Amino acid sequence: MVKREHAIIGAATVTFLGLLVIKDGEFGVEYLFLLYFFVALFYELDARFAIGAGLFLLIGAALAIQRSEALANQIAIYAYYLLAIGVVLEVVTYIEAGGEDEEEVEAQNRKEEKVKGRIIVVTSGKGGVGKTTITANLAVALAWEGNSVVVVDGDIAMPNLDIAMGVKSAPSSLREVINGKVEIKNVLYDAYEGVKVVPCSPCLDGLTERNAKKVQAIIETLTQEFDNVLLDTPPGREAITLMNRGYEIILVVNPDQASVLDALNMKTIVERKGCKVLGAVLNMVGAVKKELDIDDIEETLGVEVFAIIPQDKKIREASVHEVPFFLYTGPESKASIEIIRLARLLKRG
Ligand SMILES: Nc1ncnc2c1ncn2[C@@H]1O[C@H](COP(=O)(O)OP(=O)(O)OP(=O)(O)O)[C@@H](O)[C@H]1O
Ligand SMILES: [Mg+2]
């Protein structure tokens, strides 16, 4: 790309050279090199062309020396011109890049892109299907797998992620961050396995559109610091206001028609918002005899069921003890194995 300052320098030089030529009445070859230099600067030509050509001419000079010393000297002078041009162009490029090599800048950009964490939203459509339970346990399993994880309670009206994660006391919460009273860093509470929890004190009026935008901004900031930002959501439409383009969605469903159809509606809406539905978690399996089977659920939803969590009284027991079931039942239980599988699938991307 042509930069404005280069254009000015180039135009001034061409004019200057023109004047010189007119004044002396003859045209020296040196001027051609000068012209090449400014054209290269103007069009940001690669300095390596000049250096390469210079080296090529130096070899030519070495070969020519046996035939004619004068010719060899002349070629060597041109080679030095080209090498000097190449070096100056390199220095200009280096200064413009702020002292950093172009490749170094690119490598840094790539590293920064990689560092940015992902936002995974756990949602359903229907209430009571196990969103909070899955969010808390997925958080612990991801941390167990070596990820840095923060969980955010997006169920503003009826939050209980803090209980699920065993956070006993939280003087401030997401609510105060939304209201601008405290900063997000002041509401990152320690929980199991190094997971950080952003709890929310209940706001019975629910979530306004404006506050939903603030929550989005908050969780997007958290991606700078954490590999995974997990968002627990309220049941129903309120969850949708929290979603933003690029968020990744896990649908939690129970093996019944109502839950699956509500999840399908949710999927349709979030996809319209530019979110990516990764897959589903089938929870509370085996609670009753007549249940939908996995193939039907996958076909209806059009996504893969990543994990199948049984109905297990130990899971309810764990929630009463305010401990994620992954830790309460241990990593060998059927539910924990499924959650680890989900965490590994997510880790792979
Ligand atoms: N697989 C399971 N087996 C037994 N109990 C479960 C299972 N999954 C969740 N539960 C229990 O079901 C109840 C509801 O779960 P949870 O709060 O996670 O649902 P939710 O979808 O977050 O609800 P809401 O829509 O109200 O936010 C909790 O008491 C929880 O312990
Ligand atoms: Mg919940």
Side-chain angles (χ1 to χ4, degrees):
M1 211 177 48
V2 179
K3 289 190 181 149
R4 205 154 59 103
E5 56 270 36
H6 289 173
I8 295 163
I9 295 170
T13 311
V14 171
T15 314
F16 173 69
L17 287 176
L19 287 173
L20 267 186
V21 172
I22 292 163
K23 190 172 166 281
D24 290 343
E26 61 176 68
F27 190 83
V29 180
E30 297 78 20
Y31 295 138
L32 271 182
F33 287 102
L34 251 182
L35 193 63
Y36 174 75
F37 169 66
F38 284 106
V39 167
L41 201 61
F42 186 82
Y43 287 104
E44 295 188 2
L45 299 184
D46 198 323
R48 282 173 293 190
F49 290 135
I51 294 174
L55 291 175
F56 186 74
L57 283 189
L58 269 187
I59 295 168
L63 293 175
I65 204 153
Q66 271 145 358
R67 285 183 164 215
S68 152
E69 205 171 312
L71 178 66
N73 279 340
Q74 198 57 50
I75 295 174
I77 289 169
Y78 296 157
Y80 291 135
Y81 285 158
L82 284 169
L83 288 173
I85 288 170
V87 170
V88 175
L89 288 176
E90 274 293 4
V91 171
V92 170
T93 315
Y94 181 79
I95 292 168
E96 278 178 352
E100 283 175 290
D101 190 78
E102 249 177 70
E103 278 172 23
E104 248 176 58
V105 173
E106 259 178 40
Q108 186 61 25
N109 287 346
R110 273 200 301 275
K111 209 171 143 204
E112 271 167 21
E113 267 170 33
K114 220 175 139 213
V115 162
K116 207 161 143 33
R118 61 205 291 202
I119 297 168
I120 299 171
V121 185
V122 180
T123 195
S124 61
K126 195 166 179 284
V129 293
K131 295 178 292 298
T132 304
T133 307
I134 300 302
T135 310
N137 284 280
L138 178 59
V140 171
L142 281 166
W144 177 275
E145 286 290 313
N147 293 261
S148 59
V149 186
V150 60
V151 277
V152 180
D153 199 340
D155 194 347
I156 311 284
M158 310 272 175
N160 42 36
L161 188 64
D162 52 342
I163 300 170
M165 289 301 294
V167 174
K168 302 284 181 231
S169 148
S172 304
S173 76
L174 181 65
R175 202 172 156 191
E176 285 71 37
V177 184
I178 294 171
N179 295 336
K181 289 186 183 146
V182 296
E183 284 181 49
I184 183 68
K185 65 175 191 300
N186 301 118
V187 298
L188 293 170
Y189 294 95
D190 292 320
Y192 304 104
E193 298 296 320
V195 173
K196 297 279 183 191
V197 179
V198 178
C200 193
S201 54
C203 174
L204 298 180
D205 295 335
L207 194 64
T208 61
E209 194 77 35
R210 195 156 157 261
N211 284 347
K213 287 264 166 290
K214 286 186 188 169
V215 175
Q216 287 171 4
I218 292 164
I219 56 180
E220 283 162 26
T221 316
L222 289 170
T223 60
Q224 303 296 332
E225 204 186 320
F226 295 90
D227 301 330
N228 294 281
V229 181
L230 264 57
L231 181 68
D232 185 22
T233 56
R237 279 201 62 87
E238 203 179 64
I240 298 157
T241 57
L242 289 167
M243 317 279 187
N244 203 2
R245 179 165 290 280
Y247 291 7
E248 297 176 291
I249 313 291
I250 297 281
L251 295 168
V252 180
V253 291
N254 295 156
D256 62 71
Q257 196 75 8
S259 157
V260 173
L261 290 180
D262 285 357
L264 178 61
N265 287 333
M266 181 59 93
K267 177 176 176 256
T268 310
I269 299 167
V270 299
E271 282 178 342
R272 266 191 229 138
K273 287 198 90 171
C275 300
K276 184 180 178 206
V277 178
L278 299 173
V281 172
L282 184 55
N283 189 30
M284 302 184 183
V285 174
V288 289
K289 274 201 180 127
K290 206 168 166 288
E291 287 180 343
L292 292 177
D293 69 30
I294 295 149
D295 292 343
D296 289 341
I297 294 169
E298 286 187 331
E299 202 185 314
T300 307
L301 289 177
V303 292
E304 196 182 329
V305 170
F306 286 153
I308 301 161
I309 315 282
Q311 169 79 22
D312 183 348
K313 69 174 179 6
K314 287 255 175 214
I315 294 180
R316 196 170 287 272
E317 231 174 84
S319 76
V320 171
H321 286 89
E322 302 180 10
V323 182
F325 68 71
F326 183 82
L327 300 171
Y328 189 78
T329 62
E332 301 301 327
S333 73
K334 163 87 172 108
S336 297
I337 289 168
E338 290 290 305
I339 280 289
I340 293 180
R341 201 154 70 89
L342 173 64
R344 287 187 184 150
L345 278 172
L346 292 178
K347 214 175 149 189
R348 248 190 281 143

